Amino acid sequence: MISYQWCSELDSGDRDEVLALVAAAAEYDEEAGFSRIHPGDVTSTSRDGVRVSHLPIKARKDLSARDDAPLVIVAYLHLQVDGEGLGTVQFVVHPDYRSRGVATMLVEEIGLGTTADGDWERTGAVALRCWAYSTHPASERLARRFGIPAVGRLWTLFRHLSGPFAIPLDEVAAPEGITTGDARPLGDPAVSRAIDEVLDAASLVPAQRERLADEIRLGSGNVLVATDSSGAKVGFVWSDPALSTHLELDAASVRALVLTETARGAGLGMTLLTMALGALRDAGAQIALIRIDPDDAGAVRMCRLMAFEQEGEHSCYQVGEWAEAPSFRVRPGETSDESCPTLI
């Protein structure tokens, strides 16, 4: 009932159809806060030791049994495999074809063996990871059916910035010896250098840094950088004032908050987050969204103190062996205040 063929680059017809599918899915899923496949991933190709594979999944229109019914793309899988054979999967089904067994059929036909012939489907992947967002029942059923374990979690939190449920933002001052300038656009050369300097001193696991670098490369918004008395960059917060609809309100996002190891525990994280929330409020956002690792006690405590509420939970599923924790998580045992980036 479905057909598929791996390719290193989508041809023009399939590319346009997949881009339309991704756009339709993003609009449909906006309220639920699901992950969105970035259009840049659809057009991406292998680079710098990272192998990219695309899998458009086709079926007869309306899943018709008639041979003369046209073939349309009903789902799309994007696979990125690093030099160690670790594959990151993004998968989306067109809204018109959800809850009709497309994902189940794909797994049944392709399988999940990552050891046959040395890898999965000859893509070079010896292990696979995929995030499922907003505790979607379909992903939970699929994982149970095929025995796919969850190895990581995220929470989406929200905070009212205006309206009757909003708690005023407290005035905050940076810790002694720390200064913050004005927020500058992501992509500004000075901002890029500051981000690199902070990441170099933040002791992130490689997968975590790589994921954040990808988010920054494809993202938009503004970055506020903190500097110590010696001129060293010791932290930044990245927020995106672009408005979307969430809980029937205008929402904007805090995309990342990162501190160097030496800057943690002094209140700088709360200072930067408060300033970012103020900027989102002034840009017209009624609520702010943020994602955190619920196992990071410091991040959870800080967000609770700042009146964030939990709205959804997300799970990372894994097939095969993978030495590192999911890229949103810190090293096991690291639970100090503000020890990991908050991502959305």
Side-chain angles (χ1 to χ4, degrees):
M1 186 176 289
I2 61 172
S3 62
Y4 50 87
Q5 184 172 351
W6 289 100
C7 56
S8 58
E9 186 175 0
L10 294 168
D11 64 38
S12 58
D14 284 353
R15 182 188 64 233
D16 291 343
E17 197 169 346
V18 170
L19 286 169
L21 183 157
V22 167
E27 182 178 0
Y28 184 87
D29 292 333
E30 183 175 46
E31 177 68 17
F34 286 6
S35 173
R36 304 175 185 176
I37 296 180
H38 193 281
D41 289 332
V42 175
T43 59
S44 64
T45 56
S46 300
R47 66 187 189 281
D48 300 330
V50 176
R51 181 176 176 179
V52 174
S53 298
H54 305 270
L55 187 67
I57 297 100
K58 300 182 180 181
R60 298 292 178 185
K61 188 173 182 181
D62 297 323
L63 301 185
S64 172
R66 296 179 52 177
D67 292 339
D68 60 347
L71 281 172
V72 296
I73 294 178
V74 297
Y76 167 69
L77 187 150
H78 179 276
L79 175 65
Q80 181 174 297
V81 183
D82 68 13
E84 298 179 355
L86 305 179
T88 301
V89 173
Q90 298 180 80
F91 179 72
V92 63
V93 178
H94 192 285
D96 293 343
Y97 292 88
R98 296 185 182 178
S99 300
R100 301 177 73 175
V102 172
T104 299
M105 284 188 286
L106 180 66
V107 176
E108 287 177 338
E109 293 199 20
I110 289 184
L112 293 171
T114 55
T115 56
D117 298 325
D119 57 48
W120 183 58
E121 280 285 292
R122 295 181 293 279
T123 60
V126 298
L128 302 170
R129 273 186 180 161
C130 183
W131 280 93
Y133 289 82
S134 292
T135 319
H136 198 285
S139 66
E140 292 186 326
R141 288 195 300 270
L142 189 72
R144 284 197 302 269
R145 176 169 179 172
F146 294 101
I148 308 169
V151 295
R153 296 181 301 153
L154 283 176
W155 285 350
T156 289
L157 308 181
F158 73 94
R159 185 195 194 278
H160 288 278
L161 299 177
S162 64
F165 302 107
I167 297 174
L169 290 170
D170 294 332
E171 294 291 331
V172 292
E176 186 176 355
I178 303 294
T179 59
T180 57
D182 295 329
R184 302 178 70 172
L186 193 69
D188 182 299
V191 167
S192 298
R193 290 192 297 270
I195 289 174
D196 288 340
E197 184 176 339
V198 173
L199 294 181
D200 287 341
S203 299
L204 305 183
V205 297
Q208 193 178 37
R209 177 165 181 167
E210 181 181 341
R211 176 59 184 262
L212 181 54
D214 281 344
E215 294 281 346
I216 290 171
R217 177 174 58 85
L218 298 171
S220 60
N222 303 305
V223 176
L224 182 65
V225 178
T227 306
D228 69 12
S229 57
S230 71
K233 311 304 181 187
V234 293
F236 70 85
V237 61
W238 166 29
S239 59
D240 189 346
L243 298 178
S244 61
T245 301
H246 193 84
L247 303 176
E248 300 183 354
L249 298 170
D250 289 333
S253 303
V254 177
R255 299 297 303 271
L257 169 61
V258 184
L259 303 181
T260 64
E261 284 193 285
T262 58
R264 295 168 188 160
L268 178 58
M270 188 170 290
T271 298
L272 291 175
L273 183 55
T274 301
M275 296 174 75
L277 293 177
L280 295 181
R281 178 199 58 201
D282 294 344
Q286 296 170 291
I287 58 173
L289 299 173
I290 196 168
R291 282 189 183 148
I292 66 170
D293 178 352
D295 292 330
D296 180 3
V300 171
R301 182 167 56 253
M302 179 175 67
C303 289
R304 283 177 174 166
L305 287 172
M306 296 191 67
F308 278 92
E309 302 175 52
Q310 183 183 350
E311 197 274 324
E313 181 174 286
H314 324 289
S315 300
C316 179
Y317 294 100
Q318 178 176 308
V319 174
E321 298 298 323
W322 200 305
E324 292 181 344
S327 59
F328 292 98
R329 297 187 60 184
V330 294
R331 293 185 180 91
E334 275 191 4
T335 57
S336 59
D337 288 354
E338 307 155 348
S339 60
C340 79
T342 50
L343 303 172
I344 190 166

